[in-house]
Amino acid sequence: MASGLQATKRRINSVNSTKKITNAMKLVATAKLKTWKNKLLGNNEYASSLHSIMNVLLKSISQEDKEKVFGESKSDSTLFIVVTSTLGLCGGYNYNLYKEVIPQIDKNKDKILVIGTKGYNYFKRNGYEVDDSFISSLQDYDYNEVRKINKKIMSLLNLGEIGSIKIAYTHFKNSITFIPTIEEIYPISHIEGEEITQKELEMLIEPSPIVVLENIVPLYIESLINSRLIESSVSEQASRSNAMESATDNAEEIINKLQIEYNKARQQTITQEITEIVGGANAQS
């Protein structure tokens, strides 16, 4: 009986240690979440302004002019930028994204540029060719990394190696809802957003809408990539914070059950010892 009590006590101590670790990881994830949320808020105003400008430009030119800007691609290959995590313990964050993006990728012709070690390992394990040049871009995040990614993409477009670009990321809706999303960022046929007013359509754009559009497209794609990277990181940290909170709560529940089990076993041991003492005393009288 004593050995059983010691085993239960060891299990309580072990689970308690795990609980301390998961709670500490939750606090770290929560702190990182706050940092990434601030970056998201700081980026939103710039991204929104550029979004509006692109919207006006696309509405200001004809379909024929759009075709001149984006042209007819020499390639039917799509570049998929897949944003995953480098660390684990973030619930279904990565798995849910894989479920969305894998059915859309053609192994024989599409290209994959993956950000995050988890995604790189997953695709290599499943036989995909992967560009691993930027897998660490979110570990020491810097806008220069986004510029490098965009430079690589523009090079592939100019060389005719790809005809379209899609980014697979996790949309942050709120602290408990994260939506795996596949977004086509090139070619740009239209932009979802507010309706364009007549005044905006009548704006004088120099030297011309088509020239401005040609020059702003790379900047717009760069901005989109940056926004989606930040949003994915917010989703990742929120997902990890939730996962660690659940793990901490589960550990607490296990500890409570083990404590009840320990108390019952200890009570039985004491009762048995008292019974033996009383029985021995009666035998001697």
Side-chain angles (χ1 to χ4, degrees):
M1 186 65 76
S3 61
L5 282 171
Q6 289 175 356
T8 304
K9 194 67 177 176
R10 279 196 297 272
R11 287 182 65 195
I12 291 172
N13 291 336
S14 175
V15 176
N16 205 37
S17 296
T18 302
K19 176 189 165 186
K20 289 179 181 177
I21 293 170
T22 56
N23 191 52
M25 292 180 72
K26 177 203 165 188
L27 295 175
V28 171
T30 302
K32 288 183 177 179
L33 172 61
K34 185 177 180 181
T35 300
W36 280 106
K37 270 188 173 180
N38 288 337
K39 288 178 180 177
L40 183 62
L41 289 172
N43 175 71
N44 280 348
E45 187 172 348
Y46 168 76
S48 177
S49 297
L50 195 55
H51 183 99
S52 298
I53 293 170
M54 277 295 295
N55 206 0
V56 171
L57 288 170
L58 287 173
K59 295 283 176 62
S60 300
I61 64 175
S62 66
Q63 185 60 36
E64 185 180 348
D65 285 339
K66 287 179 187 177
E67 289 172 2
K68 286 180 184 177
V69 174
F70 300 108
E72 187 174 336
S73 173
K74 302 173 185 176
S75 172
D76 62 351
S77 173
T78 298
L79 172 67
F80 283 86
I81 305 170
V82 185
V83 188
T84 66
S85 71
T86 292
L87 301 177
L89 301 175
C90 48
Y93 173 78
N94 293 312
Y95 177 71
N96 292 333
L97 188 64
Y98 302 149
K99 282 199 303 182
E100 288 293 320
V101 73
I102 289 299
Q104 296 195 32
I105 297 176
D106 187 331
K107 264 187 180 183
N108 299 316
K109 66 177 183 179
D110 292 335
K111 298 180 183 295
I112 302 171
L113 188 156
V114 70
I115 297 170
T117 306
K118 291 295 181 181
Y120 173 76
N121 292 337
Y122 176 84
F123 284 108
K124 292 297 286 184
R125 190 167 61 245
N126 287 280
Y128 289 84
E129 288 295 322
V130 181
D131 184 339
D132 62 351
S133 307
F134 303 100
I135 59 173
S136 302
S137 293
L138 282 173
Q139 285 180 273
D140 299 308
Y141 171 78
D142 187 288
Y143 196 81
N144 285 327
E145 281 294 301
V146 181
R147 291 193 180 100
K148 290 176 186 175
I149 294 171
N150 194 48
K151 186 177 179 181
K152 175 73 175 282
I153 291 169
M154 291 299 112
S155 174
L156 291 174
L157 277 172
N158 293 333
L159 291 171
E161 293 186 23
I162 58 173
S164 60
I165 305 166
K166 292 183 179 181
I167 186 164
Y169 72 103
T170 304
H171 169 60
F172 178 78
K173 186 174 182 181
N174 54 52
S175 295
I176 58 172
T177 306
F178 324 106
I179 305 169
T181 305
I182 316 297
E183 179 182 9
E184 184 170 75
I185 60 176
Y186 187 93
I188 309 165
S189 57
H190 72 286
I191 296 178
E192 298 291 340
E194 298 176 1
E195 288 295 320
I196 303 300
T197 64
Q198 188 62 34
K199 186 177 180 181
E200 288 173 315
L201 286 173
E202 291 172 355
M203 282 195 305
L204 180 63
I205 302 173
E206 293 289 350
S208 71
I210 191 169
V211 172
V212 175
L213 184 62
E214 286 173 341
N215 285 277
I216 206 174
V217 164
L219 187 62
Y220 178 70
I221 291 174
E222 185 175 285
S223 172
L224 269 182
I225 292 170
N226 184 55
S227 296
R228 301 313 177 234
L229 290 181
I230 295 174
E231 195 169 353
S232 290
S233 293
V234 173
S235 298
E236 177 191 343
Q237 298 304 332
S239 182
R240 181 171 292 112
S241 177
N242 291 342
M244 291 301 98
E245 183 175 10
S246 295
T248 302
D249 291 343
N250 289 339
E252 182 65 37
E253 188 177 334
I254 291 170
I255 289 170
N256 290 337
K257 288 180 179 178
L258 287 173
Q259 192 64 56
I260 291 171
E261 182 182 317
Y262 176 82
N263 291 340
K264 284 182 178 178
R266 186 165 176 271
Q267 189 175 27
Q268 288 174 0
T269 302
I270 293 171
T271 302
Q272 183 178 344
E273 288 175 354
I274 291 172
T275 302
E276 290 173 356
I277 292 170
V278 171
N282 290 337
Q284 290 178 358
S285 58

